[in-house]
Amino acid sequence: MRKSLTIALTLILSLTALCSCSSETETVQSENTTAAAAADEITVQSADINLCDMTFNMLYAQVNEMKASPEDYLNKTVAVTGTFQTSYYDETGKDYYYVIGSDVTSCCNWNLEFILEDGLSYPESGTEIQLTGVYSTYDELGVTYYYLDATSITAV
């Protein structure tokens, strides 16, 4: 009986390990993938922190960790997928741009501010996007803010 239990547990653990393993560079792309989209996929896969394939709980925890200890993430390349939102702030007279997400019940939300490099354009608010950028800082009104200096943006 004990030997059968050991064999069964070993088999279950082996199958679980095999099912959960995947190549980080393995991607499924449609036949209509453009060269730009392929380049974005390479960028996403080579990011220091790839938030694109995380479950909501892991993504939420990682974003909160980035906000709690931002110095640990400075100059790291981050890839993230979420919804594009913009917000206007009267005091500065500027628009601010965010990639956001929420859980199924919309009770827990996360957001990361980003600024696009010159030559890239912002999509319409509410668009699902995939974004890659370097975690950076800027100072405004005497406060240091952390954001993604975005090098690529793709509607998904």
Side-chain angles (χ1 to χ4, degrees):
M1 178 69 174
R2 186 176 184 104
K3 185 175 181 180
S4 296
L5 182 58
T6 302
I7 291 171
L9 285 174
T10 302
L11 182 60
I12 290 170
L13 289 173
S14 297
L15 288 174
T16 302
L18 286 174
C19 292
S20 64
C21 292
S22 66
S23 171
E24 286 187 25
T25 58
E26 181 180 317
T27 59
V28 178
Q29 298 180 351
S30 71
E31 294 175 17
N32 298 327
T33 302
T34 63
D40 286 343
E41 187 62 33
I42 292 167
T43 305
V44 167
Q45 294 302 329
S46 62
D48 297 318
I49 303 164
N50 185 348
L51 305 173
C52 295
D53 297 325
M54 289 186 177
T55 64
F56 175 79
N57 289 342
M58 291 300 296
L59 175 57
Y60 184 78
Q62 182 66 55
V63 170
N64 281 333
E65 173 61 24
M66 290 171 68
K67 290 181 176 192
S69 303
E71 299 81 19
D72 295 343
Y73 298 94
L74 282 177
N75 302 314
K76 303 248 182 190
T77 303
V78 178
V80 63
T81 302
T83 305
F84 172 70
Q85 283 296 333
T86 184
S87 177
Y88 180 80
Y89 187 50
D90 287 331
E91 194 167 337
T92 62
K94 292 164 83 177
D95 285 315
Y96 296 87
Y97 306 97
Y98 300 90
V99 57
I100 65 169
S102 64
D103 67 349
V104 176
T105 63
S106 295
C107 75
C108 301
N109 302 306
W110 60 268
N111 69 69
L112 288 171
E113 182 181 357
F114 70 93
I115 300 171
L116 291 179
E117 282 188 345
D118 291 339
L120 298 175
S121 55
Y122 293 96
E124 289 186 33
S125 218
T127 302
E128 292 296 312
I129 60 170
Q130 186 170 72
L131 184 72
T132 304
V134 177
Y135 204 59
S136 305
T137 66
Y138 67 89
D139 291 314
E140 191 170 71
L141 302 175
V143 178
T144 299
Y145 294 94
Y146 297 87
Y147 74 104
L148 290 178
D149 185 9
T151 55
S152 74
I153 185 170
T154 306
V156 293

